[in-house]
Amino acid sequence: MKYILMMNTMKAGSAPFPNWSQEDVRAHIAFMIGFAGDLNRSGELVSAEGLAFPEEAKLVRAGSDGRPVTDGVFPESKEFLAGYWIVEVARPERAYEIAARASAAPGIAGAPLNMPIEVRRVMSAPPADPA
Amino acid sequence: MKYILLMSGTKAGVETYKAWSPKDIQAHFVFLHELNRELRERGELLANEALADPNQAKVVRAGKSFSPVTDGVFPESKEFLLGYWIVDVETLERAHEIAARLSGGPAPGGGQLSMPIEVRQILSRSSEEFQ
């Protein structure tokens, strides 16, 4: 079963690592690289991506002529996706275990962040292929 | 440049999709299937996933000794990711064009949905920000 583990931790207009020392940022990134490496070696990692900071994020809608209409104003409460992992595991409990590891990524002075990680099932095939 | 196009909706919004007639759902999936094929033929589509129903979503945090603590209660306003497309395109404008196409998928009974699509840049793993 495929699950997506999402870090919805970014807020509009806030710095990516407020008040973090360079050393803390480096330790955090080293953790993330090691974490992805572990999942890769265990054969559980399907894909992972990190997203750019949301200052250039736009909401796009189709206008009446089909042309894009863009909007870059978001409510302050909006959570932005910072990155995700897709893992292939036998049962949801394993996905939760992996998510808990990501949650405990090091923050300021190495203290675990305990950030929320949203875990969702990914559909294995695109629905209703009409061909 | 790699961009991710995120299609999201609130739980209430997802419930309205469930009320669509099978014919309307089929028409929408045919539209998505055709668009995916077109993007793939142009070499622009890198990845596409659909997520399962948000009813099964969990938020996971690291508890004591990193054991997962799960929570499945969300505020009504929370937006859930329904699916995403990762595209590799020359310009941001092209990413917005594709997002507008996605946004303008067929609504029940004809016409276009104009659902908002969030467009964000993806950091490539060799990005200097992570050196």
Side-chain angles (χ1 to χ4, degrees):
Chain A
M1 292 192 287
K2 270 162 71 181
Y3 289 87
I4 186 167
L5 282 46
M6 291 179 277
M7 280 188 292
N8 295 312
T9 49
M10 283 179 176
K11 293 275 181 195
S14 68
F17 297 104
N19 307 319
W20 288 38
S21 71
Q22 258 198 341
E23 196 187 329
D24 290 339
V25 172
R26 227 175 276 133
H28 180 80
I29 291 168
F31 168 88
M32 287 299 180
I33 292 169
F35 176 62
D38 287 349
L39 291 176
N40 206 15
R41 276 185 292 278
S42 69
E44 293 170 317
L45 187 65
V46 177
S47 64
E49 296 286 358
L51 274 61
F53 303 121
E55 63 262 17
E56 285 177 31
K58 294 270 187 254
L59 275 187
V60 180
R61 286 182 177 82
S64 52
D65 56 355
R67 302 287 310 156
V69 177
T70 63
D71 179 9
V73 181
F74 298 96
E76 262 179 53
S77 60
K78 174 164 166 60
E79 296 172 334
F80 286 93
L81 185 66
Y84 66 82
W85 300 265
I86 294 179
V87 294
E88 172 95 56
V89 291
R91 52 207 169 81
E93 289 72 25
R94 176 61 189 147
Y96 301 152
E97 270 174 38
I98 297 169
R101 261 199 78 195
S103 169
I108 291 172
L113 286 171
N114 289 343
M115 59 181 156
I117 305 288
E118 184 182 331
V119 179
R120 302 268 302 280
R121 183 100 183 262
V122 173
M123 292 183 195
S124 46
D129 184 343
Chain B
M1 287 192 288
K2 277 162 72 181
Y3 292 92
I4 188 165
L5 315 182
L6 301 159
M7 186 184 278
S8 304
T10 59
K11 220 164 181 174
V14 172
E15 293 304 318
T16 66
Y17 297 138
K18 287 181 190 165
W20 288 22
S21 74
K23 201 174 141 208
D24 290 329
I25 293 171
Q26 177 71 2
H28 195 83
F29 282 143
V30 168
F31 163 83
L32 290 178
H33 182 79
E34 296 287 317
L35 181 56
N36 279 357
R37 181 159 60 196
E38 182 189 319
L39 295 175
R40 216 171 278 123
E41 280 169 7
R42 292 176 59 121
E44 292 175 324
L45 186 64
L46 295 184
N48 166 230
E49 296 285 1
L51 274 63
D53 195 295
N55 280 329
Q56 298 168 350
K58 295 270 186 252
V59 161
V60 180
R61 285 183 177 80
K64 279 182 187 149
S65 61
F66 302 104
S67 59
V69 177
T70 63
D71 180 7
V73 181
F74 303 100
E76 286 294 313
S77 61
K78 175 169 165 56
E79 289 190 332
F80 286 95
L81 187 64
L82 307 176
Y84 67 78
W85 288 255
I86 295 178
V87 294
D88 190 3
V89 291
E90 292 291 319
T91 62
L92 177 60
E93 287 67 33
R94 175 62 190 147
H96 287 173
E97 266 177 39
I98 298 169
R101 292 277 306 279
L102 281 169
S103 167
Q112 60 180 34
L113 267 182
S114 287
M115 64 168 87
I117 306 289
E118 184 182 329
V119 179
R120 304 270 304 282
Q121 200 177 345
I122 294 244
L123 298 174
S124 75
R125 245 149 279 156
S126 58
S127 167
E128 286 176 8
E129 287 181 64
F130 283 109
Q131 294 307 301

